[in-house]
Amino acid sequence: MSNYSSLVAVSGVVLSFAFIIWRVRAVFQTFMRFHRAKGFGDKMDAAARHFPKDILEESMLRAGSERPAQRSLTRMTIRTTPGVIVVTILVLAVLFFIGFIRPDLAPNEIFIPVKDAETAVLIKLGLVGLVIYTLIYHLANSTSIDGAELTTMSTLFQRRTYDLNKLCQIRLRHNGNYVLRFSDGKTARILKYVTGHDEMVQALEQALATNQESTCRNFPKSKRSAVG
């Protein structure tokens, strides 16, 4: 019995030590990613990647992404997935319920540590308003690809157009947005959770590959790398 207890104790120490090493390694990797990132957005993304995504939430947000994109002649249109819409509605319902119908479930002194009750109400209204805006944005949001023309919608519901012939980089942020950078200095952000997701990614990657091939072909042969 004593040998068994000793084995359990040693195993516990070893597992605890391994866990500490794993966490220290994760923190170090996050620090290195943060240090190598150049822009503010990239640094925030590097820090956010330290926290893993919830598998259930990710699955809910992806729901509907397998649906084909809408097509009209040469235009492909993609929209926010039904999963994102449902999750946003659920968040709105929960916020409204615990904020105004059953505030005893989320006391202000715990979740909104302010002394003034009116300020707490304003904060709750602000949160509900933010989620309502998010829901309206996702319902209205659409991205279209027509040949070399990419059209997206900004956070102020303005339509913006980009030339895919100038696409030079695609990055997936931890917050679920694709960040597209163009050689003319423009930057586009597209939600990851969209219908026709695979079709969209294929079109963007094809445009990027074509642009990189063209750049390599036009680069002086004497200065090309062995890979290029």
Side-chain angles (χ1 to χ4, degrees):
M1 189 70 175
S2 59
N3 292 336
Y4 177 76
S5 300
S6 300
L7 179 62
V8 171
V10 171
S11 300
V13 172
V14 171
L15 290 175
S16 299
F17 186 68
F19 176 78
I20 293 173
I21 293 178
W22 174 65
R23 292 311 304 159
V24 170
R25 176 176 176 272
V27 172
F28 179 75
Q29 288 180 334
T30 299
F31 175 79
M32 293 303 298
R33 285 197 301 265
F34 184 86
H35 179 71
R36 288 193 296 264
K38 296 181 179 180
F40 177 78
D42 290 342
K43 287 185 178 297
M44 293 299 98
D45 181 62
R49 289 182 184 276
H50 183 76
F51 305 96
K53 290 185 176 181
D54 182 80
I55 299 177
L56 178 60
E57 180 186 8
E58 181 75 6
S59 299
M60 292 178 65
L61 294 175
R62 284 177 177 270
S65 61
E66 71 283 354
R67 292 184 179 181
Q70 297 178 357
R71 292 188 177 272
S72 176
L73 296 178
T74 60
R75 182 183 296 273
M76 175 176 66
T77 302
I78 57 177
R79 299 185 182 278
T80 306
T81 61
V84 171
I85 304 298
V86 171
V87 169
T88 306
I89 293 175
L90 290 176
V91 171
L92 177 60
V94 170
L95 278 177
F96 187 81
F97 182 77
I98 66 176
F100 300 99
I101 298 178
R102 287 291 304 275
D104 56 293
L105 297 177
N108 293 341
E109 58 270 16
I110 298 177
F111 294 92
I112 306 178
V114 293
K115 296 181 179 180
D116 189 358
E118 293 182 357
T119 303
V121 171
L122 289 176
I123 293 175
K124 292 178 181 179
L125 287 174
L127 292 174
V128 171
L130 178 62
V131 178
I132 291 176
Y133 158 80
T134 303
L135 177 60
I136 295 174
Y137 176 81
H138 285 318
L139 288 172
N141 183 35
S142 68
T143 299
S144 64
I145 299 177
D146 189 354
E149 183 180 88
L150 170 69
T151 304
T152 65
M153 190 177 72
S154 70
T155 54
L156 297 178
F157 301 93
Q158 296 174 326
R159 306 302 295 178
R160 294 181 177 177
T161 303
Y162 304 87
D163 186 0
L164 288 178
N165 290 324
K166 299 179 180 180
L167 180 63
C168 59
Q169 186 185 57
I170 303 174
R171 294 196 64 180
L172 175 59
R173 288 279 172 83
H174 190 67
N175 62 1
N177 284 322
Y178 287 105
V179 179
L180 280 56
R181 292 191 170 91
F182 299 81
S183 58
D184 57 2
K186 293 183 178 180
T187 301
R189 290 172 176 81
I190 302 176
L191 184 66
K192 168 186 174 182
Y193 309 107
V194 293
T195 57
H197 170 269
D198 293 346
E199 298 174 74
M200 176 193 72
V201 172
Q202 183 179 3
L204 295 177
E205 289 182 342
Q206 183 177 355
L208 179 62
T210 301
N211 297 341
Q212 291 176 337
E213 181 182 356
S214 176
T215 300
C216 183
R217 188 187 306 116
N218 295 331
F219 200 65
K221 186 175 182 179
S222 59
K223 296 184 179 180
R224 295 183 192 175
S225 66
V227 178

